[in-house]
Amino acid sequence: MADGTFPILSALILLPLLGAGLTLLQRSDRAVRLAALATGLAEAALSAALWLGFDATGDGYQFVERLPWLPYWNIEYALGIDGISLLMIVLMAALTPLCVLISWRSAAVRLKEFHACLLFMCAVCIGVFCALDLVLFYVFWEAMLVPMFLLIAIWGGAERKYAALKFFLYTLAGSALLLAAIVAFRQYAGTFSIPELAARDYPMGFQMLAFWAMALAFAVKMPMVPFHTWLPAAHVEAPTAGSVLLAAVLLKMGAYGFIRFCLGLTPEASVEFAPWMVAASLVSIVYGGFVALGQKDIKKLIAYSSIGHMGFVTLGIFLMSRQGMEGAILQMLNHGITAGALFMCVGLVYERSHSRQIEDNLGLGKRLPVYMFFLGLFSLSSLGFPGTNSFVGEALVLVGSFKYSVWVGLAAIPGALLGAAYMLRLLQRMAWGSPSAASQWADLNRREVFCLALPAILVAVLGFAPGPVLKVMDRAVAQSLERSIAASQCETSKPAIGADLVQAKEAADVR
Amino acid sequence: MSADLVLFAPELAQGALLLALFGLILARPRQDLALSWLPAASVGVLAASLLAMGARGVFFSGAYQLDACSQFFKAAVALGAALANQNALRRPLLDGERRTEYFFLLSLSALGFMVLASAVEIITLVVALELASYSLFALVPLRGRDPRAAEAGIKYILFGAAATGLSLYGYAYIMGTQHTGLIAQLAGKDWSLATNPGAVMGMALLLCGFLYKLALFPFHAWAPDVYTGADNETSAYLATIPKLGAAVVLVRFMAVLTPAAGIGQLLAVLGVLSMTIGNLAALAQKDLKRMLGYSGVAHAGYLTLGLAAGSAEGMGSVAHYSLVYVLGNLACFWVICRLSRDGRNLTYADLSGLHKRRPALAFLMALAAFSLVGLPPTAGFMGKLFLLSSAWNAGYSWLVVAAVVNTAISIYFYLNLARHCYTVDPEREDTQAEPAGAAGFVLAGAILALGVVPGPVFNLALKAGQNLLP
């Protein structure tokens, strides 16, 4: 499949769509679940083939497919991936079968539609990460809203309607100006093609406006404080699989947008506004951490911790240095794995206790040791414990921020400490707290263990050996930073680009 | 001569349909059989207008022109009329005797709009518009003995007559200053406010009449009232086909007036006001038809993006978007008419739980709502993208920003349509709805197809624009 002739990216998008159609045709509940699971597994296998076929040393976009869509406006059906999108696509594809498995018992009503929504989400999320045409990107970006809205509004918790509406309104309103920016880029360059647009220079005034128009859409999606209020509501009310997708993939679209569009299309403006974005990220980190500390609801706690973790991602991106960017992308991947797994854990305990409150789920250590092992592992990963995946990403971002400015580094430290505070508090009470109501609860069965085992393996592997992932994103990181770094050197006389690369190399060797 | 007849296939087919209806009125056969042929016949008219898509020519001393623009709009009118006919067939609030007359007037109005699409001389334009409008004046009050319908009828007639009066008054000025009523000849004339104020004033008055049909601010106040008062089925027609008529006339005039940039900017300002007021007012509505009335005001504002751009792609985008809007709006009304079996006005609450009762109708409603808001992958997104692009290319960046901000405002009430269908539990279990029917599936398919494969139809619309502004 690596020969380049098989349209593997289109296949990755079409397969879940076909699978969604297939699930809608099934009659029995079991057949629906099996069809969805089979589609998810096939998708994961296909993404594995994509991973194997990817050339980490190659420049530019790979597996490129281009077809004219609407020649008059130069709209193309153009797909292609680089290292950053590859990681996100593989993450999405790997999570799809897990989402089906984790909902095996919890989803009960309107089963066909539920699984069709899941698979549709999978297709459009992958589309977002491999679209190389602005219009196509926007189509996927917005098409994702409807299935997610339905997932929350139909299969969610008590306040689901409010949460779904808020999610939809925030995200769609946020991306309205993105459309204006897309239209504006076409007028400058006569094309919607992202690689072609990225190769051009734009006047500074235009860049500044375009930057904010796009940044608003991505900041809502990330979400950055103060655009974050939809996230806790949506996370708390969404069904487990919806929360997993939301945390693991949807939030990453915002970060992906920042890297691909803000840095890629408006590099000078990105440099100009980087201090503002860094400041906003610091606010997100600290604010998310403090609010998480005060939560009584497990899901809400993880939701607010996501805001803090995504703050680390934007911080890393706008440090405009190699460590920062690598750390940010690692953090994207790690948060996807860890937060996704944590939401699965919450879902599993909710199936037993029917409550998401911490005080209703005390003292699980004795009764559910297997469950507690996984929860402990993912909690440690979430707080960035050395040896787990998140440590590497967070450490890289912190190293980058200290190099950027000691004050920024010092300001980010409390965020990391807060992570330990709220996660350990949660862990302590859920493992040893009393009185425990768990005497009658069954520990995890094989299906549930399987769902958590895969992320657990990844937590360990990425914690000890992040090398392959760093290698995959290496070229993409260099390319996305190239112009921003050049731009920042025009303005100030910071260390030369070569020196920065050498230092990054050294840091990597030390690891 | 026979070749000429083929050129006029759409008008002739519609005329034949009218004659048949007229014969039926005189003959008064048994009611249940009488109109079963109508859907097939309207599809026949549509086929004729598609067949005549390539017809070109100038007739009647230059007053009547067949070109890419006219043929595109004729086909759009024929499509809309076919769907509106199908929609109105099971109209509940009408005594059996008047059913045939109802369809006669509806089809007469459609013929008027078809003629309007080809009219390139001002008096011909006005006559065609009156042919189309007078039929509607008679249709609006036809709703049992409902006083609201009478009120709506009076409003529609009074406003309409005043608008026509303004138009004719403006025509007098134009004739007096420019000495011709042919649009093609008006193109080369002096349209400067400084040297030829009478002509500019005349044109402004003339355009007022058509902006009224389009329900652009400040000529919009009638639309929500009339939609609410008129029957659901009549509103479905009122809210869609007349917009096509207004769009074709405005496209023709704006193509001529492009050099006089003042009018483009004036239209753009009216457009922004129209969008904002329409969307804000729609936010507060509970009655679905009233909401759609204000939404129509907002969409008239979106159309000004292409009109103000004054380029071939702008005109093409207007043509394309008016068709897209007609489809989306007809789909909404289609669902409303299927739901309202006793012919009353519906509120959002009536949509509750539609997903369980009629999944196909709920899907169609959601699709229509997303198309109206401009969410991919529906037709509305592509239409809006083209409008925005053409306006930006013409330098109206502030207009584009105003339009996207307005889109953000409008999300709430369109989403409410989908939300009630899918996520709200019904208050009463007994409310029944008719099945979606073949036309419902056609509408859903068209909205999706125009969003995913916009090329073929947009190219036709673009040809219409390029034909006006070579």
Side-chain angles (χ1 to χ4, degrees):
Chain A
M1 276 188 210
D3 58 0
T5 51
F6 179 73
I8 187 166
L9 293 177
S10 293
L12 274 166
I13 296 172
L14 279 178
L15 181 70
L17 290 181
L18 291 177
L22 195 66
T23 54
L24 287 176
L25 294 177
Q26 302 304 318
R27 297 208 171 268
S28 77
D29 285 1
R30 194 176 166 74
V32 169
R33 290 190 163 110
L34 284 177
L37 184 62
T39 313
L41 288 174
E43 182 80 358
L46 205 54
S47 77
L50 187 73
W51 175 276
L52 292 177
F54 185 80
D55 173 16
T57 56
D59 279 335
Y61 295 96
Q62 302 183 26
F63 303 103
V64 173
E65 298 166 28
R66 293 179 78 160
L67 286 173
W69 189 7
L70 194 56
Y72 180 80
W73 296 104
N74 261 331
I75 303 176
E76 282 181 324
Y77 174 80
L79 303 175
I81 55 167
D82 63 2
I84 304 173
S85 15
L86 174 71
L87 292 174
M88 293 299 120
I89 290 172
V90 173
L91 176 68
M92 178 72 226
L95 279 172
T96 310
L98 295 187
C99 283
V100 177
L101 272 179
I102 202 76
S103 320
W104 206 266
R105 252 177 47 197
S106 59
V109 289
R110 296 202 214 170
L111 217 56
K112 289 182 207 175
E113 290 92 336
F114 178 80
H115 287 96
C117 274
L118 272 185
L119 292 172
F120 191 80
M121 279 290 293
C122 170
V124 293
C125 289
I126 289 179
V128 164
F129 290 119
C130 56
L132 284 190
D133 182 280
L134 277 176
V135 174
L136 187 65
F137 170 82
Y138 193 82
V139 167
F140 284 129
W141 174 269
E142 299 283 48
M144 171 270 303
L145 290 177
V146 179
M148 196 65 216
F149 171 79
L150 293 177
L151 275 179
I152 301 175
I154 298 180
W155 295 278
E159 293 288 312
R160 57 184 183 271
K161 285 165 202 161
Y162 163 77
L165 188 61
K166 197 166 179 181
F167 160 76
F168 199 97
L169 290 181
Y170 262 71
T171 325
L172 194 49
S175 49
L177 283 174
L178 177 63
L179 184 59
I182 289 174
V183 167
F185 272 114
R186 182 192 169 274
Q187 208 241 333
Y188 263 102
T191 173
F192 286 112
S193 160
I194 293 169
E196 285 171 41
L197 287 170
R200 295 177 65 100
D201 288 318
Y202 305 95
M204 192 58 185
F206 173 72
Q207 280 200 27
M208 285 157 100
L209 290 175
F211 175 87
W212 284 116
M214 298 191 292
L216 179 67
F218 304 139
V220 170
K221 196 73 145 201
M222 282 290 289
M224 292 177 88
V225 176
F227 305 109
H228 66 286
T229 59
W230 65 268
L231 182 82
H235 260 324
V236 169
E237 300 306 328
T240 302
S243 290
V244 171
L245 285 184
L246 197 58
V249 184
L250 257 69
L251 305 190
K252 310 303 175 293
M253 287 180 183
Y256 178 79
F258 274 124
I259 298 173
R260 180 75 81 231
F261 298 104
C262 286
L263 262 59
L265 302 184
T266 58
E268 281 94 4
S270 299
V271 170
E272 175 81 21
F273 294 122
W276 296 90
M277 299 303 291
V278 167
S281 311
L282 289 174
V283 171
S284 285
I285 294 172
V286 176
Y287 177 85
F290 270 116
V291 180
L293 202 52
Q295 296 307 316
K296 295 196 174 95
D297 181 313
I298 312 173
K299 245 183 165 178
K300 252 191 184 155
L301 189 150
I302 302 172
Y304 278 107
S305 83
S306 291
I307 296 172
H309 287 141
M310 295 318 281
F312 270 105
V313 173
T314 36
L315 176 63
I317 292 172
F318 283 97
L319 292 174
M320 301 283 175
S321 68
R322 186 134 182 168
Q323 287 104 330
M325 183 67 95
E326 288 189 339
I329 295 166
L330 264 185
Q331 178 83 348
M332 279 161 72
L333 187 65
N334 291 333
H335 179 261
I337 297 166
T338 307
L342 277 172
F343 277 117
M344 288 190 206
C345 286
V346 180
L348 291 176
V349 80
Y350 181 80
E351 283 175 31
R352 289 162 173 79
S353 69
H354 303 287
S355 164
R356 288 184 307 257
Q357 302 299 315
I358 299 176
E359 59 189 26
D360 294 331
N361 294 299
L362 300 173
L364 304 184
K366 248 185 202 166
R367 312 286 175 185
L368 290 81
V370 182
Y371 174 80
M372 240 12 251
F373 163 75
F374 283 115
L375 184 66
L377 180 70
F378 295 127
S379 303
L380 290 182
S381 158
S382 174
L383 64 89
F385 195 74
T388 61
N389 53 350
S390 304
F391 173 72
V392 188
E394 221 161 274
L396 272 174
V397 174
L398 282 177
V399 169
S401 44
F402 270 106
K403 280 176 72 178
Y404 179 85
S405 145
V406 177
W407 296 110
V408 170
L410 284 178
I413 291 283
L417 292 180
L418 277 168
Y422 58 73
M423 284 321 287
L424 288 177
R425 170 174 160 271
L426 175 78
L427 201 56
Q428 185 248 340
R429 301 188 63 191
M430 284 186 73
W432 294 290
S434 65
S436 171
S439 52
Q440 300 300 318
W441 301 350
D443 206 346
L444 302 188
N445 61 25
R446 265 181 294 171
R447 167 182 66 85
E448 294 164 339
V449 168
F450 178 80
C451 283
L452 294 178
L454 185 67
I457 294 170
L458 285 174
V459 163
V461 168
L462 290 176
F464 287 108
V469 172
L470 284 172
K471 205 178 95 196
V472 159
M473 68 166 102
D474 189 58
R475 294 301 309 148
V477 168
Q479 276 164 12
S480 46
L481 279 175
E482 211 170 288
R483 292 182 65 206
S484 314
I485 290 179
S488 65
Q489 255 136 36
C490 294
E491 282 180 15
T492 60
S493 49
K494 284 199 178 144
I497 186 168
D500 204 24
L501 291 184
V502 169
Q503 282 168 353
K505 199 82 184 162
E506 283 166 3
D509 291 343
V510 169
R511 280 198 309 272
Chain B
M1 191 59 201
S2 63
D4 287 3
L5 287 182
V6 174
L7 293 179
F8 287 106
E11 290 92 331
L12 290 176
Q14 185 72 11
L17 182 91
L18 276 170
L19 275 181
L21 282 170
F22 188 60
L24 267 185
I25 294 173
L26 299 181
R28 297 229 171 270
R30 263 183 47 224
Q31 279 304 322
D32 49 344
L33 284 179
L35 290 168
S36 52
W37 55 273
L38 191 63
S42 1
V43 171
V45 177
L46 176 61
S49 57
L50 290 177
L51 205 70
M53 190 57 90
R56 301 288 181 268
V58 180
F59 303 89
F60 310 122
S61 320
Y64 201 81
Q65 185 173 326
L66 304 180
D67 54 20
C69 181
S70 71
Q71 300 313 92
F72 177 85
F73 275 100
K74 259 176 226 173
V77 168
L79 174 66
L83 288 165
N85 273 340
Q86 177 68 29
N87 185 31
L89 264 184
R90 268 187 256 168
R91 197 158 163 268
L93 282 193
L94 191 67
D95 358 335
E97 293 178 5
R98 280 188 278 179
R99 277 167 61 86
T100 322
E101 279 91 334
Y102 181 83
F103 285 102
F104 177 77
L105 289 172
L106 213 59
S107 303
L108 189 61
S109 168
L111 178 65
F113 285 117
M114 282 184 173
V115 174
L116 187 66
S118 272
V120 290
E121 193 267 339
I122 293 176
I123 279 296
T124 320
L125 270 178
V126 173
V127 170
L129 185 70
E130 292 315 296
L131 179 63
S133 304
Y134 274 80
S135 328
L136 293 179
F137 292 157
L139 281 180
V140 172
L142 276 185
R143 189 188 198 186
R145 295 193 164 276
D146 197 327
R148 282 175 308 173
E151 182 196 326
I154 290 172
K155 271 186 187 153
Y156 197 49
I157 292 171
L158 282 183
F159 277 103
T164 309
L166 277 182
S167 280
L168 285 174
Y169 192 45
Y171 167 70
Y173 271 101
I174 292 176
M175 207 59 197
T177 49
Q178 311 285 35
H179 313 295
T180 176
L182 289 169
I183 296 178
Q185 290 180 12
L186 288 173
K189 302 282 183 179
D190 173 21
W191 289 106
S192 142
L193 185 62
T195 54
N196 205 351
V200 175
M201 202 162 84
M203 183 55 84
L205 287 171
L206 183 70
L207 287 181
C208 284
F210 297 103
L211 295 181
Y212 162 82
K213 281 278 167 248
L214 194 63
L216 191 81
F217 176 87
F219 311 100
H220 68 288
W222 62 274
D225 288 353
V226 172
Y227 292 1
T228 321
D231 222 359
N232 291 336
E233 286 77 4
T234 315
S235 303
Y237 184 93
L238 276 179
T240 48
I241 319 293
K243 307 273 180 190
L244 287 170
V248 66
V249 174
L250 288 170
V251 159
R252 283 199 191 277
F253 274 109
M254 286 313 290
V256 169
L257 297 173
T258 312
I263 289 197
Q265 271 167 11
L266 182 69
L267 258 186
V269 171
L270 288 183
V272 170
L273 288 170
S274 195
M275 287 174 215
T276 316
I277 287 167
N279 280 327
L280 289 180
L283 276 177
Q285 304 306 322
K286 292 199 175 67
D287 184 311
L288 292 183
K289 280 197 293 177
R290 238 183 138 65
M291 184 279 278
L292 286 173
Y294 280 112
S295 132
V297 176
H299 276 90
Y302 295 138
L303 282 182
T304 60
L305 265 80
L307 292 173
S311 56
E313 58 187 32
M315 300 309 162
S317 303
V318 170
H320 179 256
Y321 196 75
S322 51
L323 175 64
V324 167
Y325 171 71
V326 163
L327 287 175
N329 222 6
L330 268 179
C332 277
F333 273 107
W334 180 265
V335 177
I336 290 175
C337 295
R338 300 281 83 64
L339 267 177
S340 169
R341 300 187 76 168
D342 49 0
R344 68 197 167 83
N345 285 0
L346 299 185
T347 60
Y348 283 112
D350 291 295
L351 292 174
S352 300
L354 185 60
H355 171 77
K356 284 182 190 146
R357 287 179 280 156
R358 291 283 175 201
L361 279 184
F363 181 71
L364 179 60
M365 187 52 129
L367 209 56
F370 290 141
S371 180
L372 288 174
V373 81
L375 201 67
T378 58
F381 168 69
M382 285 295 169
K384 211 169 251 178
L385 179 72
F386 303 150
L387 279 179
L388 294 176
S389 296
S390 55
W392 192 286
N393 286 358
Y396 284 100
S397 48
W398 57 273
L399 192 54
V400 171
V401 172
V404 295
V405 170
N406 260 291
T407 305
I409 298 175
S410 71
I411 297 163
Y412 179 74
F413 58 87
Y414 290 124
L415 180 65
N416 253 346
L417 291 175
R419 203 168 65 93
H420 275 88
C421 291
Y422 277 92
T423 70
V424 181
D425 296 324
E427 289 161 14
R428 299 182 306 275
E429 288 295 333
D430 56 323
T431 42
Q432 283 300 311
E434 289 172 39
F441 285 101
V442 168
L443 278 167
I447 290 173
L448 271 180
L450 283 179
V452 178
V453 198
V457 174
F458 177 73
N459 284 340
L460 281 179
L462 185 66
K463 259 188 219 152
Q466 283 165 342
N467 164 58
L468 297 174
L469 281 164

Short mmCIF file of all heavy atoms in Angstrom, two decimals, chain B residues 265-285:
data_model
loop_
_atom_site.label_atom_id
_atom_site.label_comp_id
_atom_site.label_asym_id
_atom_site.label_seq_id
_atom_site.Cartn_x
_atom_site.Cartn_y
_atom_site.Cartn_z
N GLN B 265 -23.05 50.25 -3.39
CA GLN B 265 -22.79 50.47 -1.96
C GLN B 265 -24.08 50.66 -1.18
O GLN B 265 -24.21 50.17 -0.05
CB GLN B 265 -21.88 51.67 -1.79
CG GLN B 265 -20.43 51.23 -1.84
CD GLN B 265 -19.48 52.37 -2.00
OE1 GLN B 265 -19.85 53.53 -1.87
NE2 GLN B 265 -18.24 52.03 -2.29
N LEU B 266 -25.03 51.34 -1.81
CA LEU B 266 -26.32 51.53 -1.14
C LEU B 266 -26.97 50.17 -0.87
O LEU B 266 -27.46 49.88 0.23
CB LEU B 266 -27.22 52.38 -2.02
CG LEU B 266 -28.58 52.70 -1.42
CD1 LEU B 266 -28.41 53.64 -0.25
CD2 LEU B 266 -29.50 53.32 -2.46
N LEU B 267 -26.91 49.31 -1.90
CA LEU B 267 -27.50 47.97 -1.74
C LEU B 267 -26.78 47.21 -0.63
O LEU B 267 -27.41 46.49 0.15
CB LEU B 267 -27.35 47.19 -3.04
CG LEU B 267 -28.58 47.07 -3.93
CD1 LEU B 267 -28.27 46.14 -5.07
CD2 LEU B 267 -29.76 46.56 -3.14
N ALA B 268 -25.45 47.37 -0.60
CA ALA B 268 -24.69 46.65 0.43
C ALA B 268 -25.11 47.10 1.82
O ALA B 268 -25.29 46.26 2.72
CB ALA B 268 -23.19 46.89 0.23
N VAL B 269 -25.31 48.41 2.00
CA VAL B 269 -25.73 48.90 3.31
C VAL B 269 -27.11 48.35 3.65
O VAL B 269 -27.34 47.84 4.77
CB VAL B 269 -25.74 50.45 3.32
CG1 VAL B 269 -26.39 50.95 4.59
CG2 VAL B 269 -24.33 50.97 3.21
N LEU B 270 -28.03 48.41 2.69
CA LEU B 270 -29.36 47.84 2.93
C LEU B 270 -29.25 46.36 3.25
O LEU B 270 -30.00 45.83 4.09
CB LEU B 270 -30.25 48.03 1.69
CG LEU B 270 -30.72 49.46 1.41
CD1 LEU B 270 -31.65 49.48 0.22
CD2 LEU B 270 -31.42 50.04 2.62
N GLY B 271 -28.33 45.69 2.56
CA GLY B 271 -28.16 44.26 2.79
C GLY B 271 -27.75 43.96 4.22
O GLY B 271 -28.31 43.08 4.87
N VAL B 272 -26.78 44.73 4.72
CA VAL B 272 -26.33 44.49 6.09
C VAL B 272 -27.47 44.74 7.07
O VAL B 272 -27.71 43.94 7.99
CB VAL B 272 -25.13 45.40 6.43
CG1 VAL B 272 -24.82 45.34 7.90
CG2 VAL B 272 -23.93 45.00 5.62
N LEU B 273 -28.20 45.85 6.86
CA LEU B 273 -29.33 46.13 7.75
C LEU B 273 -30.36 45.01 7.68
O LEU B 273 -30.91 44.57 8.69
CB LEU B 273 -29.98 47.46 7.35
CG LEU B 273 -29.16 48.69 7.70
CD1 LEU B 273 -29.74 49.93 7.05
CD2 LEU B 273 -29.12 48.85 9.22
N SER B 274 -30.59 44.54 6.46
CA SER B 274 -31.58 43.51 6.25
C SER B 274 -31.20 42.21 6.97
O SER B 274 -32.03 41.60 7.65
CB SER B 274 -31.71 43.27 4.75
OG SER B 274 -32.86 42.56 4.47
N MET B 275 -29.94 41.82 6.81
CA MET B 275 -29.46 40.61 7.49
C MET B 275 -29.63 40.75 8.99
O MET B 275 -30.16 39.87 9.66
CB MET B 275 -27.95 40.45 7.29
CG MET B 275 -27.48 40.04 5.97
SD MET B 275 -25.68 40.14 6.07
CE MET B 275 -25.31 40.68 4.45
N THR B 276 -29.14 41.88 9.51
CA THR B 276 -29.10 42.03 10.96
C THR B 276 -30.51 42.08 11.54
O THR B 276 -30.81 41.35 12.50
CB THR B 276 -28.34 43.32 11.31
OG1 THR B 276 -27.19 43.39 10.49
CG2 THR B 276 -27.95 43.33 12.75
N ILE B 277 -31.35 42.90 10.93
CA ILE B 277 -32.71 43.02 11.47
C ILE B 277 -33.47 41.71 11.29
O ILE B 277 -34.16 41.25 12.20
CB ILE B 277 -33.42 44.21 10.79
CG1 ILE B 277 -32.81 45.49 11.33
CG2 ILE B 277 -34.91 44.17 11.03
CD1 ILE B 277 -33.15 46.71 10.57
N GLY B 278 -33.32 41.10 10.12
CA GLY B 278 -34.00 39.83 9.88
C GLY B 278 -33.59 38.77 10.89
O GLY B 278 -34.44 38.11 11.50
N ASN B 279 -32.30 38.63 11.11
CA ASN B 279 -31.83 37.59 12.02
C ASN B 279 -32.20 37.87 13.46
O ASN B 279 -32.61 36.97 14.19
CB ASN B 279 -30.31 37.43 11.90
CG ASN B 279 -29.92 36.60 10.71
OD1 ASN B 279 -30.65 35.68 10.33
ND2 ASN B 279 -28.81 36.90 10.10
N LEU B 280 -32.05 39.13 13.86
CA LEU B 280 -32.38 39.45 15.25
C LEU B 280 -33.86 39.24 15.51
O LEU B 280 -34.26 38.70 16.55
CB LEU B 280 -31.98 40.89 15.58
CG LEU B 280 -30.47 41.12 15.67
CD1 LEU B 280 -30.18 42.58 15.98
CD2 LEU B 280 -29.85 40.23 16.74
N ALA B 281 -34.69 39.66 14.54
CA ALA B 281 -36.12 39.48 14.74
C ALA B 281 -36.49 38.00 14.73
O ALA B 281 -37.35 37.55 15.49
CB ALA B 281 -36.90 40.23 13.66
N ALA B 282 -35.82 37.23 13.88
CA ALA B 282 -36.14 35.81 13.79
C ALA B 282 -35.82 35.09 15.09
O ALA B 282 -36.46 34.10 15.45
CB ALA B 282 -35.39 35.16 12.63
N LEU B 283 -34.80 35.60 15.80
CA LEU B 283 -34.41 34.97 17.07
C LEU B 283 -35.58 34.91 18.04
O LEU B 283 -35.69 34.00 18.85
CB LEU B 283 -33.29 35.79 17.73
CG LEU B 283 -31.87 35.55 17.30
CD1 LEU B 283 -30.95 36.50 18.02
CD2 LEU B 283 -31.47 34.12 17.60
N ALA B 284 -36.45 35.93 17.96
CA ALA B 284 -37.49 36.07 18.98
C ALA B 284 -38.78 35.36 18.61
O ALA B 284 -39.73 35.37 19.38
CB ALA B 284 -37.76 37.55 19.23
N GLN B 285 -38.85 34.75 17.42
CA GLN B 285 -40.13 34.21 16.96
C GLN B 285 -40.41 32.81 17.52
O GLN B 285 -39.49 32.03 17.73
CB GLN B 285 -40.17 34.14 15.43
CG GLN B 285 -39.91 35.46 14.77
CD GLN B 285 -40.83 36.55 15.27
OE1 GLN B 285 -42.01 36.31 15.52
NE2 GLN B 285 -40.29 37.74 15.45
#
